Amino acid sequence: MTEKIELKINGLSVTADSGMTILDAALRKGIYIPHLCHHRQLEPIGACRLCLVEIQGEWKKTVISCKTLVKEGMVVLTETPEIQKIRQINVELIVADHDTDCLNCFQNTKCALQRVADHVGMDKKRLDRLKKPDKLLPIDDSNPFFTFNPNRCVLCGICVRTCDEIQNIQAIDFVHRGLGTKVAGFGDRPRLESNCESCGECIVRCPVGALTEKDAVRPTHQVKTICAFCGCGCGVVLGVRDNKLVSARGDLGNKASKGRLCVKGRFGYKFVNHPDRLTSPMVKKDGNFVEVGWDEALDLVADNFAKNKGDKFAGISSAKATNEDNYVFQKFTRAVMGTNNIDHCARL
Amino acid sequence: MKFSDIKKRAEDEWKELVQSKMPKIYIGAATCGRSAGALAVKQTFEEEIEKRGIDAKIVEVGCFGPCYTEPLVNIVKSDGSNIFYKNVNKKIALELVENYILGDDPLAHYALGTVGDKKVPGIQDLMGTPFFKPQARELFHNTGIIDPTNINHYIAQNGYSGLAASLKMKQTDVIEEVKISGLRGRGGGGFPAGRKWEAGLASKGEEKYIVCNADEGDPGAFMDRCTLESDPHAVLEGMAIAGYSIGAAKGYVYVRAEYPLAVKRFNNAIKQAHEMGFLGENIMGTNFKFDIECFLGAGAFVCGESTALTLSIEGNRGMPKAAPRPRTTEEGLFDKPTVLNNVKTFAYVPQIITRGGAWFAGIGTENSKGTAVFALTGKVNNCGLIEVPMGISLREIIFTIGGGICDGKKFKAVQTGGPSGGCLPDTFLDTPVDYDSLKAAGSMMGSGGMVILDETTCMVDIARYFLDFTQKESCGQCTLCRVGTKQMLNILIDITKGKGKPGDIELLVEMGEAVNAGSLCGLGQSAANPVLTTIKYFREEYEAHINDKACPALACKELVSYLIDEEKCKGCTICAKACPVEAITGEKKQVHVLDQDKCIRCGMCFEKCPKKFRAVECVPGRVN
Amino acid sequence: MAGLATSLGSGAMTNTITELGDASTILAIGTNTTEAHPIAALQVKDAVRKGAKLIVANPKEIELCRFAAVFLQHKPGTDVPLLMGMMRVILEEGLEDKAFIADRCENFESFEKSLEAFDLDTVEKLTGVAQDKIIKAARIYATQTPSSIIYCMGITQHVHGTDNVLAVSNLALLTGNIGKPSTGVNPLRGQNNVQGACDIGCLPNVYPGYQQVTSPDARSKFESAWGVELSDKAGLTHTEIFDALLEGRIKSLYMVGENPVLSEANASHAIEAMEKADFMVVQDIFMTETAELADVVLPGAAFAEKDGTFTNTERRVQRVRKALDPVGEAKPDWWIACELAKRLSAKGFDFSGPSEIMDEMGSLMPTYKGISYSRLEKGSLQWPCPSEDHSGTPFLHAEKFGTETGKGKFMPLEYKKPGEDTDKEYPLLLTTDRSLFHFHSTMTRRVYGLNVLGKEELLNIHPEDAEKLGIADEQMVKVASRRGEVEVKAKVTKKCIVGTVSMGFHFAETPTNLLTCCELDPVAKTPGTKVCAVRIETI
């Protein structure tokens, strides 16, 4: 049973549910507390240390709001001079260790680090004293669908936890220690050599530009539909630009998949844009296919089908086609061709 | 076999050894002794004894404490004389066989001291020496005395009597005894062990665990290694008692893979305890079952943190879990109730049971009971593993036990608590050594590392050294520790190289305070301590580095200059020949001149200038 | 499918994918779920994370085994003895749901009698699985409830696939693990709309909504709706169609979106058959290996280029929406069929669009009656959805079964040998499996990245067999069956059992189905591609 809990955050009265964290309660109320490693679908780890808040009164102390549960009557301050000081140094340290070529980053304007830095602010003098990395780390572009750029990684661990908690694959984890810490496959091997299934769930959740789809472009509009591969029937939102499919993401509202996609669902749509697609009816003349118009092709087919009505005809439909396609097809076979010789590839 | 019979048999075996008429040669062969050559010495004794057909007994024992005397050999003869010989090598071993074992000359000049009532002329009473006299060897009552690979030796010293007694007590009574003792966790945190066990007992669950933290990672610390190597059964027995008292059936010892001998000794102890029925099912005829497994850590410092340690045992990457989180006693190893203590904490327990909690509480101070173990290292004359009553002063440890600073140099600071501890200057020498006093002074008890620094140690450099360690060992989870320590290290390196800038000290303090206040785990929350305490107590040294480009301790190469004293230089040309960059010029018998622009401050001239002249001097700062 | 229709009255997945996440036990038999149904596999793993016990039964050590409490690595084609062995343990230990058997089931006695042949010694010998594992699996399944069973082609693609399915349904009935949330008998359907294709009657024996073509009532219903006379005899199945083509009984073939050259068991037989057709039309999105054989090839619209609905494996009808205009002159399949019908002067093909087609479907199919595009806009619906105010059915058989008597029917079973016997010439068994990175071939082979991840066909072979044959890892070998041979790279792996090798069938370069057996299950007419005797030679 969830109970309602009343607390005060920054002087505002906030109603939260029992079991909720201070961070969730604040975000729901529209109070922004900077954070990088928090993700609502994942267990909190409290690694980024940005969501520090001060609890006043008898429990007075500074805590991380992503792991601290709300309590009745709690009084919380999300901004104090002490917290601001820690946060600011924290952000400066991240930025000093970050490839800040933002305009060339796919996450530009959508980046959680930009938002944090914007909110917290930085001391330029201090930042200038910090040492920037001498050289950029090598990029892992082994996977054909996505790229991992460690120079843009903030080590929030969201990809690691996604792979573990959501996908149960555990293909990646932190490797090395100290400043050399990064996310990689077992033994710091490239992702392609790990047991990564390329589901792309980590890319979706990466709050910065560390994990990005290769050749990603932003769609001009998106359409909610169903994946065309296996029988799971996952909801997919396809992105379209210039009458081409350019992206796919899981449909969170879909009851079968709840937003999850596998490698085929997320990247497999690319066959639709393939140059080998058939674009015109073709008729075999003297052993070679010749492109013809629909009328010529349909007349030819109708004439020939007319010769062998009844059980001399058979139709094989497709388990890939829609219900409507298949309905019309079986109706055609039964009502027009006069036979029940109709099947599809269900048994394969 | 009943425990009383086992004990009787063990005591008989011990008595037979002690009372036998033949000479007994005990060789300290823990890792410390071995690295000093103890095994070669042992081999020499063996060969010699065999060659000469001498009826003598050679026993390999653990570490007795005074590292500066290794290899340490203890020869006991039938007349009751019991002499420790220091720094024994092959030559001395041969002489000892010839003159003392076969003859009657105890070779007093090789002796460190005697033990026991039998006095030997010309040899001091060891326990009366400054190194031993202030010590209270309670935890170490067996180390260096018994053969750690022989369970009967341990049993004969009242070993496993604590377990036997515990199994006749109620679980709560065992815990009560530990509470009465006032034993606090020896890993550094100082949490009362009895209260932890009480919480472990109170936690609901069929499956509970005991974990012994032997992931001793502080530079210069070797207390746990020594305990495991020299008296492994004490740790094992302590764990079994803990297991009984909270209702756990399985224990893990998380020990560094870099401690192969400790692992071997402990695994041997587990095997022997099984054979005796002290581990396994129906221990000592009761329903209690308990088993212990040695888990080898891969050398990550952070795995000494309890949550990282349990994750590591579970097969995950060892990374601390952020607070707030359930206590380990509620959700520890495999998310089950777990009591996790340090090696020494467990090793005290058997004696607390056999001698009573009140005995232990009678040692030490009001809030810090019992003894403290330190690995005393650095610039003191007597390095070693020492055990002192809580409350002893730093001064007594350094100047009495340690015998003062090497080479008659001046004391500068004492560093306790490992890389996360702090450096205390001479004004704190009379601080009592206990959990609270050290913390109040800005340092910490830690697990027992104590490094003594003298006037030749640069405090900026020492802060750099410890921070370099911490930043390399950061688990990488939180930015403040991962990047913060590295950036602070960069600034410290700049300062030691003469590239420090005005404002660097303030920046180090700001960043250090943020790292300590904001980091995720204990490692990060104390990572800046060496920097903050050295700035607090030795700020002028930082200022000299930054403002005057001078290292007062003459330790930072870039911040010193070498000068040739015209008065003292005799023109011997030795320095000029030694100089790798031809910065020194001068004809024979004429005063030499050092070109400061060419000088790379390698110090060769300083070293090579004959001692009788001492014409080259090293001064802080740069001379142009 | 035919099996479940007999025992339970419906061939579809009884429960819902997301219900798996709340199961206490999951038995995954004959399904490499991670590879073939990745999102369903996630539910299985979620359940395990929450404390459920997973039992995997598979001849190959699949990825899910990492999460399994028990792994039963049985020999290919021994599913019936394995399951019967488990049921025997359940009965011997009194773990069956007596009330459920008494109230909701029939034919228990004859089934119980058939169990006599399956003592554990026999079962162990047939399956190669140790008895204690079978006992452990049986106890977990029967006691740690709710228990779900999922299965796939590893159960159905056998010459006695129907028996396998019946064994599965017997197990669920025996323990009452059916008709409740997170239980059931759940065939994971392979293709995105294979469930829909069956539902709407792309089967030779039934009209839309599983109404028998041989039933006069059904026939007259469709005759009056469609305004024509309909054939009263059941048509030929997929594989039978190819036989009839070969024999000249069928002259014209119209095929939509299928590539039998790669997917059909004993593919050379299918190729020969298609070459014999007088006239063959292939409608597809690519010039497939099969389309090359056609007289006319018609360009279909891809899924993102048309509106419509798919019905997924859990009977969920979901809206497919047009995102793009079809490439070039490509058209939706329904439009093409309607145009042909009109040219053949048929009435009833003047659909303005898919929504209208759905309305006609609903009027004729009781299970889809309550489904319409306006409702689907608000969310998907699981059939049966008999009326506009019905919210759909997450799990079947809650009150009664779909059989005539309304009771779940136990089916007595006997042991039958796996499809093909090995002999001296063909000493190994070949079974087919799937790759996560491919789906059959037509679409995925045309996605560059998927071919990097799954770049070639591999023959999985146990090190012991490999050593005997002198085969090294990654060595090219020739695999020959009684029907054909292919060349493929060997992968030496302990994931196979000794004596059994496995291959996928996604690559035209390595047409695995030239090897496989097209002997059919006598009831379901599914070919036994999962068991075929082969010989492997080094090249």
Side-chain angles (χ1 to χ4, degrees):
Chain A
M1 250 305 272
T2 53
E3 290 165 42
K4 292 290 170 206
I5 289 194
E6 298 291 337
L7 69 159
K8 277 206 157 40
I9 303 179
N10 297 347
L12 296 169
S13 294
V14 175
T15 308
D17 302 329
S18 58
M20 209 175 202
T21 63
I22 297 174
L23 180 61
D24 284 334
L27 292 175
R28 198 169 75 170
K29 179 78 180 172
I31 301 168
Y32 177 66
I33 302 175
H35 59 270
L36 282 175
C37 67
H38 166 80
H39 191 282
R40 62 194 154 72
Q41 292 167 320
L42 301 169
E43 290 291 321
I45 54 165
C48 77
R49 318 304 294 169
L50 285 163
C51 70
L52 292 172
V53 295
E54 188 179 296
I55 298 172
Q56 297 189 297
E58 69 178 292
W59 309 302
K60 182 178 168 87
K61 58 178 173 183
T62 303
V63 296
I64 46 171
S65 57
C66 68
K67 276 191 94 178
T68 308
L69 301 184
V70 292
K71 275 190 199 159
E72 185 67 38
M74 211 176 221
V75 180
V76 178
L77 286 182
T78 70
E79 305 280 344
T80 70
E82 293 76 26
I83 289 172
Q84 169 66 7
K85 198 164 167 187
I86 299 169
R87 262 188 207 149
Q88 215 172 32
I89 287 177
N90 195 340
V91 173
E92 288 156 12
L93 291 169
I94 301 172
V95 171
D97 194 39
H98 195 85
D99 174 10
T100 48
D101 183 12
C102 290
L103 286 179
N104 275 314
C105 177
F106 191 68
Q107 281 290 81
N108 188 32
T109 76
K110 291 170 180 62
C111 169
L113 179 57
Q114 285 178 338
R115 174 147 198 216
V116 167
D118 175 58
H119 179 88
V120 176
M122 287 178 279
D123 179 329
K124 181 158 173 14
K125 201 167 140 251
R126 215 161 36 203
L127 185 59
D128 286 345
R129 181 67 180 91
L130 300 180
K131 198 165 177 285
K132 300 289 283 182
D134 299 330
K135 56 171 193 256
L136 296 178
L137 298 167
I139 289 168
D140 180 0
D141 60 358
S142 59
N143 189 289
F145 293 117
F146 66 89
T147 300
F148 171 68
N149 183 345
N151 306 295
R152 287 176 176 155
C153 175
V154 292
L155 293 172
C156 64
I158 287 176
C159 54
V160 175
R161 283 176 284 151
T162 300
C163 197
D164 175 27
E165 294 174 28
I166 306 241
Q167 295 296 103
N168 284 289
I169 296 168
Q170 297 103 3
I172 47 171
D173 203 342
F174 295 101
V175 297
H176 302 305
R177 300 216 167 249
L179 202 65
T181 308
K182 64 172 186 167
V183 177
F186 183 78
D188 196 9
R189 301 300 299 162
R191 279 160 178 72
L192 189 64
E193 293 172 32
S194 73
N195 59 330
C196 169
E197 293 179 1
S198 304
C199 66
E201 292 289 340
C202 54
I203 311 172
V204 176
R205 288 173 181 79
C206 180
V208 290
L211 281 164
T212 47
E213 223 178 289
K214 281 185 178 167
D215 313 318
V217 274
R218 298 222 180 272
T220 49
H221 73 279
Q222 302 186 64
V223 178
K224 204 183 269 194
T225 185
I226 302 300
C227 172
F229 289 96
C230 79
C232 291
C234 301
V236 56
V237 181
L238 295 174
V240 184
R241 179 161 167 170
D242 188 21
N243 204 43
K244 292 221 158 42
L245 296 183
V246 294
S247 68
R249 61 180 173 85
D251 174 7
L252 282 169
N254 184 282
K255 285 184 186 148
S257 58
K258 297 185 169 167
R260 293 165 162 187
L261 287 178
C262 75
V263 56
K264 293 191 288 283
R266 192 176 310 281
F267 303 111
Y269 67 84
K270 297 182 184 201
F271 75 87
V272 173
N273 298 339
H274 197 278
D276 288 354
R277 280 286 303 278
L278 291 172
T279 54
S280 157
M282 293 200 278
V283 172
K284 204 178 255 170
K285 291 180 180 167
D286 304 326
N288 294 315
F289 281 113
V290 179
E291 290 194 0
V292 298
W294 271 111
D295 282 334
E296 183 184 338
L298 290 170
D299 287 343
L300 178 70
V301 174
D303 289 351
N304 275 287
F305 280 178
K307 290 181 205 160
N308 289 306
K309 279 199 177 183
D311 289 343
K312 283 185 280 185
F313 176 88
I316 296 179
S317 82
S318 171
K320 290 250 155 280
T322 64
N323 286 327
E324 291 75 6
D325 289 334
N326 278 321
Y327 177 80
V328 174
F329 188 83
Q330 64 85 31
K331 185 177 175 185
F332 172 81
T333 306
R334 291 192 161 111
V336 182
M337 300 306 294
T339 176
N340 284 318
N341 287 343
I342 161 98
D343 204 353
H344 66 287
C345 48
R347 297 172 185 84
L348 288 170
Chain B
M1 216 192 300
K2 272 162 63 183
F3 179 68
S4 52
D5 298 333
I6 292 175
K7 189 168 177 179
K8 173 87 178 31
R9 197 181 57 182
E11 283 167 348
D12 291 347
E13 184 185 328
W14 179 253
K15 234 181 267 168
E16 195 189 317
L17 173 74
V18 173
Q19 292 171 354
S20 79
K21 294 288 170 203
M22 62 176 137
K24 291 164 288 279
I25 305 165
Y26 299 93
I27 299 170
T31 298
C32 41
R34 289 180 177 205
S35 54
L39 291 183
V41 169
K42 183 180 166 213
Q43 197 186 346
T44 306
F45 275 115
E46 283 168 349
E47 285 168 2
E48 208 54 25
I49 280 167
E50 191 178 343
K51 206 161 75 188
R52 293 169 176 248
I54 304 166
D55 198 15
K57 173 94 178 159
I58 295 173
V59 182
E60 208 182 295
V61 295
C63 166
F64 197 60
C67 299
Y68 65 104
T69 64
E70 298 284 3
L72 188 61
V73 174
N74 173 212
I75 301 179
V76 182
K77 288 185 71 171
S78 55
D79 63 354
S81 60
N82 185 337
I83 309 174
F84 278 83
Y85 292 93
K86 63 182 176 183
N87 306 118
V88 178
N89 55 27
K90 273 179 149 180
K91 180 179 153 284
I92 298 174
L94 292 175
E95 285 184 46
L96 285 170
V97 173
E98 177 70 37
N99 297 302
Y100 186 47
I101 293 179
L102 289 173
D104 277 328
D105 181 1
L107 298 178
H109 55 291
Y110 293 135
L112 176 69
T114 61
V115 171
D117 300 333
K118 174 91 178 169
K119 302 286 174 236
V120 180
I123 303 178
Q124 60 183 344
D125 171 29
L126 190 57
M127 290 303 139
T129 58
F131 183 81
F132 282 104
K133 194 152 188 261
Q135 293 200 44
R137 297 184 71 82
E138 307 295 354
L139 181 74
F140 289 154
H141 72 126
N142 282 336
T143 62
I145 292 167
I146 63 164
D147 176 357
T149 63
N150 186 335
I151 192 171
N152 282 336
H153 281 198
Y154 178 73
I155 297 169
Q157 315 302 318
N158 221 11
Y160 289 105
S161 295
L163 177 62
S166 297
L167 293 180
K168 296 197 179 96
M169 294 159 75
K170 284 198 289 192
Q171 289 172 305
T172 45
D173 291 345
V174 176
I175 292 173
E176 188 57 29
E177 207 58 43
V178 176
K179 280 173 80 178
I180 290 170
S181 77
L183 175 65
R184 290 171 70 174
R186 289 310 199 246
F191 191 83
R195 267 173 55 201
K196 189 184 272 187
W197 293 19
E198 199 169 45
L201 175 63
S203 284
K204 301 249 179 303
E206 296 271 299
E207 209 179 322
K208 295 181 183 180
Y209 292 97
I210 298 293
V211 177
C212 173
N213 184 349
D215 191 52
E216 186 174 47
D218 292 3
F222 46 86
M223 306 72 61
D224 297 346
R225 187 196 71 212
C226 204
T227 310
L228 285 173
E229 286 176 356
S230 306
D231 199 11
H233 285 288
V235 182
L236 196 155
E237 187 186 353
M239 289 176 70
I241 293 170
Y244 169 73
S245 71
I246 71 156
K250 173 98 196 196
Y252 284 90
V253 176
Y254 188 89
V255 57
R256 319 182 73 204
E258 294 95 321
Y259 283 179
L261 186 64
V263 172
K264 193 175 149 197
R265 292 262 164 91
F266 198 82
N267 276 329
N268 178 59
I270 292 174
K271 192 170 142 262
Q272 291 174 339
H274 265 286
E275 287 162 6
M276 292 283 184
F278 303 158
L279 284 180
E281 307 276 330
N282 302 111
I283 294 171
M284 296 187 181
T286 67
N287 286 331
F288 176 53
K289 61 171 183 180
F290 192 69
D291 203 353
I292 296 180
E293 192 179 313
C294 227
F295 190 97
L296 267 57
F301 179 69
V302 76
C303 285
E305 197 275 348
S306 60
T307 55
L309 188 153
T310 49
L311 273 175
S312 177
I313 295 179
E314 289 165 19
N316 296 306
R317 177 183 162 94
M319 297 210 291
K321 292 179 187 167
R325 56 163 192 265
R327 286 190 184 283
T328 309
T329 46
E330 293 159 23
E331 242 178 64
L333 186 61
F334 303 113
D335 295 334
K336 301 284 186 272
T338 300
V339 160
L340 186 148
N341 278 124
N342 175 267
V343 170
K344 299 179 291 289
T345 316
F346 284 121
Y348 278 117
V349 169
Q351 292 192 69
I352 288 174
I353 300 299
T354 52
R355 301 165 81 173
W359 153 77
F360 190 83
I363 310 168
T365 66
E366 177 67 31
N367 290 320
S368 302
K369 305 290 188 196
T371 57
V373 172
F374 288 103
L376 181 64
T377 58
K379 304 288 181 65
V380 277
N381 285 310
N382 304 336
C383 288
L385 192 61
I386 61 166
E387 185 180 1
V388 291
M390 289 277 190
I392 191 172
S393 71
L394 282 166
R395 186 184 301 279
E396 195 164 6
I397 292 180
I398 298 163
F399 289 93
T400 307
I401 299 176
I405 308 300
C406 302
D407 304 328
K409 293 266 184 350
K410 254 180 72 188
F411 167 84
K412 188 174 209 171
V414 51
Q415 211 276 353
T416 61
S420 325
C423 295
L424 302 178
D426 55 2
T427 46
F428 287 92
L429 277 176
D430 293 313
T431 305
V433 170
D434 61 56
Y435 290 98
D436 311 306
S437 307
L438 285 177
K439 198 172 170 197
S443 185
M444 58 162 88
M445 189 84 174
S447 72
M450 184 180 283
V451 186
I452 311 304
L453 311 172
D454 71 3
E455 57 184 317
T456 66
T457 313
C458 169
M459 297 314 287
V460 184
D461 192 52
I462 206 78
R464 181 202 58 76
Y465 169 80
F466 280 115
L467 207 61
D468 184 45
F469 177 86
T470 323
Q471 64 88 16
K472 278 185 189 139
E473 293 293 345
S474 165
C475 83
Q477 261 189 112
C478 68
T479 321
L480 288 161
C481 172
R482 180 185 70 245
V483 193
T485 53
K486 178 70 179 179
Q487 291 287 1
M488 288 171 72
L489 174 66
N490 289 337
I491 294 170
L492 289 169
I493 291 172
D494 276 358
I495 294 175
T496 58
K497 289 192 184 300
K499 293 177 196 157
K501 294 176 184 161
D504 277 358
I505 298 177
E506 292 71 23
L507 181 57
L508 282 172
V509 172
E510 273 180 354
M511 283 173 58
E513 284 174 349
V515 169
N516 275 7
S519 287
L520 185 151
C521 76
L523 172 64
Q525 285 159 12
S526 57
N529 282 355
V531 182
L532 294 176
T533 57
T534 50
I535 290 178
K536 188 169 170 195
Y537 298 123
F538 302 94
R539 193 180 176 103
E540 68 287 350
E541 264 191 64
Y542 280 83
E543 284 165 349
H545 281 75
I546 296 169
N547 301 335
D548 310 333
K549 307 291 172 212
C551 176
L554 306 175
C556 301
K557 203 176 109 183
E558 274 91 344
L559 300 183
V560 298
S561 297
Y562 291 92
L563 301 174
I564 297 174
D565 189 333
E566 291 175 19
E567 305 282 307
K568 294 180 180 166
C569 179
K570 301 292 180 215
C572 69
T573 73
I574 290 176
C575 63
K577 282 179 194 148
C579 179
V581 292
E582 295 176 355
I584 299 173
T585 50
E587 296 301 312
K588 201 160 182 174
K589 309 248 169 159
Q590 285 182 9
V591 171
H592 284 35
V593 180
L594 198 164
D595 182 343
Q596 294 295 341
D597 290 338
K598 279 190 185 170
C599 176
I600 55 163
R601 297 170 184 85
C602 66
M604 285 301 283
C605 53
F606 181 79
E607 264 176 47
K608 296 284 178 182
C609 180
K611 292 281 173 283
K612 56 187 172 185
F613 305 145
R614 291 196 187 275
V616 182
E617 62 175 327
C618 180
V619 296
R622 295 208 179 144
V623 177
N624 290 311
Chain C
M1 223 196 68
L4 288 190
T6 314
S7 61
L8 308 178
S10 165
M13 189 161 156
T14 58
N15 290 56
T16 297
I17 293 173
T18 49
E19 285 177 19
L20 288 173
D22 296 318
S24 295
T25 299
I26 296 171
L27 167 61
I29 181 164
T31 159
N32 188 350
T33 324
T34 325
E35 306 275 342
H37 296 90
I39 302 301
L42 291 179
Q43 290 293 338
V44 175
K45 294 177 186 178
D46 280 354
V48 173
R49 226 183 159 93
K50 284 195 255 172
K53 292 271 189 291
L54 172 65
I55 304 162
V56 172
N58 205 303
K60 196 178 155 189
E61 189 189 327
I62 56 174
E63 198 262 356
L64 270 189
C65 293
R66 279 206 299 144
F67 302 87
V70 193
F71 173 37
L72 310 168
Q73 192 165 21
H74 59 305
K75 292 179 191 159
T78 62
D79 305 271
V80 167
L82 182 73
L83 293 165
M84 292 296 263
M86 279 175 68
M87 289 186 266
R88 199 161 146 142
V89 172
I90 289 170
L91 277 174
E92 275 172 6
E93 300 194 358
L95 305 174
E96 75 275 22
D97 186 338
K98 294 184 183 70
F100 188 88
I101 295 168
D103 300 345
R104 303 270 325 257
C105 306
E106 60 188 6
N107 208 26
F108 177 71
E109 290 70 23
S110 72
F111 156 74
E112 193 181 17
K113 200 157 184 329
S114 77
L115 272 182
E116 277 170 18
F118 296 94
D119 60 279
L120 285 192
D121 289 334
T122 308
V123 169
E124 178 172 349
K125 218 167 74 198
L126 292 171
T127 60
V129 180
Q131 299 188 18
D132 57 337
K133 283 191 173 184
I134 297 172
I135 293 168
K136 188 175 171 193
R139 285 179 186 159
I140 292 173
Y141 177 82
T143 58
Q144 203 171 324
T145 57
S147 301
S148 292
I149 306 174
I150 52 174
Y151 67 87
C152 195
M153 297 300 188
I155 282 290
T156 54
Q157 277 183 356
H158 287 279
V159 288
H160 43 74
T162 302
D163 285 357
N164 290 347
V165 171
L166 291 173
V168 170
S169 87
N170 283 343
L171 178 60
L173 291 173
L174 187 66
T175 53
N177 274 306
I178 192 157
K180 302 167 191 142
S182 300
T183 63
V185 175
N186 299 293
L188 297 171
R189 309 304 300 266
Q191 306 256 20
N192 57 329
N193 198 33
V194 63
Q195 186 64 51
C198 295
D199 294 348
I200 60 84
C202 282
L203 291 169
N205 57 335
V206 289
Y207 295 123
Y210 304 102
Q211 303 173 70
Q212 298 290 327
V213 297
T214 47
S215 147
D217 288 350
R219 192 165 65 248
S220 68
K221 174 177 167 184
F222 280 90
E223 281 178 342
S224 67
W226 290 345
V228 290
E229 256 184 54
L230 295 171
S231 163
D232 61 353
K233 69 178 213 282
L236 301 179
T237 65
H238 196 281
T239 315
E240 288 167 343
I241 287 170
F242 288 94
D243 291 338
L245 275 165
L246 262 182
E247 291 160 16
R249 285 184 280 128
I250 288 177
K251 305 275 186 204
S252 292
L253 181 64
Y254 183 11
M255 190 151 44
V256 181
E258 224 214 316
N259 192 8
V261 173
L262 282 195
S263 61
E264 188 74 2
N266 192 4
S268 51
H269 165 90
I271 295 168
E272 204 185 322
M274 287 186 285
E275 281 169 344
K276 265 198 111 170
D278 279 358
F279 186 71
M280 175 165 127
V281 178
V282 169
Q283 198 162 297
D284 210 321
I285 58 173
F286 289 106
M287 183 59 83
T288 61
E289 293 78 3
T290 303
E292 300 275 3
L293 305 174
D295 296 292
V296 177
V297 176
L298 302 174
F303 80 108
E305 297 168 338
K306 59 189 174 188
D307 282 303
T309 57
F310 288 156
T311 304
N312 79 351
T313 184
E314 49 173 4
R315 299 168 279 105
R316 186 183 298 282
V317 182
Q318 310 193 91
R319 230 350 216 108
V320 176
R321 292 183 185 84
K322 180 176 164 176
L324 306 169
D325 290 328
V327 62
E329 291 295 310
K331 296 286 183 192
D333 296 324
W334 65 265
W335 181 90
I336 301 171
C338 286
E339 285 301 307
L340 282 173
K342 286 181 216 163
R343 277 173 167 75
L344 290 164
S345 320
K347 291 206 170 57
F349 287 87
D350 299 312
F351 299 109
S352 63
S355 168
E356 222 175 279
I357 302 172
M358 172 61 86
D359 292 342
E360 182 173 314
M361 284 158 56
S363 71
L364 292 166
M365 297 162 64
T367 48
Y368 277 56
K369 190 158 191 263
I371 300 174
S372 66
Y373 273 37
S374 55
R375 286 193 74 187
L376 290 176
E377 276 310 312
K378 294 184 211 104
S380 54
L381 289 164
Q382 280 175 286
W383 68 257
C385 180
S387 63
E388 291 242 353
D389 53 4
H390 192 281
S391 59
T393 310
F395 60 92
L396 303 175
H397 318 310
E399 305 289 332
K400 61 184 178 74
F401 288 96
T403 50
E404 271 177 29
T405 55
K407 300 238 172 177
K409 191 165 186 187
F410 278 103
M411 300 296 284
L413 294 169
E414 60 187 51
Y415 173 65
K416 292 171 191 155
K417 278 197 286 188
E420 234 186 11
D421 280 331
T422 54
D423 58 18
K424 269 196 183 147
E425 205 178 338
Y426 300 101
L428 295 166
L429 283 182
L430 169 75
T431 181
T432 56
D433 59 16
R434 278 164 208 268
S435 158
L436 168 67
F437 303 112
H438 290 288
F439 196 95
H440 286 183
S441 64
T442 307
M443 304 189 299
T444 53
R445 286 304 305 282
R446 288 177 174 84
V447 178
Y448 162 77
L450 292 175
N451 288 285
V452 173
L453 297 171
K455 57 179 185 279
E456 61 196 340
E457 196 62 77
L458 294 169
L459 172 86
N460 293 293
I461 181 167
H462 192 276
E464 222 170 273
D465 290 327
E467 201 188 323
K468 233 183 282 170
L469 296 164
I471 294 167
D473 197 28
E474 302 217 339
Q475 185 181 343
M476 288 301 291
V477 294
K478 190 169 88 181
V479 184
S481 78
R482 295 182 177 113
R483 288 157 295 278
E485 59 184 51
V486 298
E487 290 186 359
V488 64
K489 195 184 267 184
K491 173 153 183 66
V492 179
T493 168
K494 284 191 175 157
K495 291 184 173 173
C496 281
I497 44 177
V498 179
T500 300
V501 296
S502 77
M503 283 171 78
F505 55 93
H506 306 299
F507 295 85
E509 302 86 327
T510 316
T512 309
N513 278 321
L514 288 178
L515 305 170
T516 50
C517 176
C518 65
E519 193 186 334
L520 300 183
D521 176 278
V523 183
K525 314 278 183 184
T526 305
T529 61
K530 290 291 174 192
V531 186
C532 130
V534 293
R535 170 180 74 232
I536 295 166
E537 298 165 3
T538 52
I539 303 173

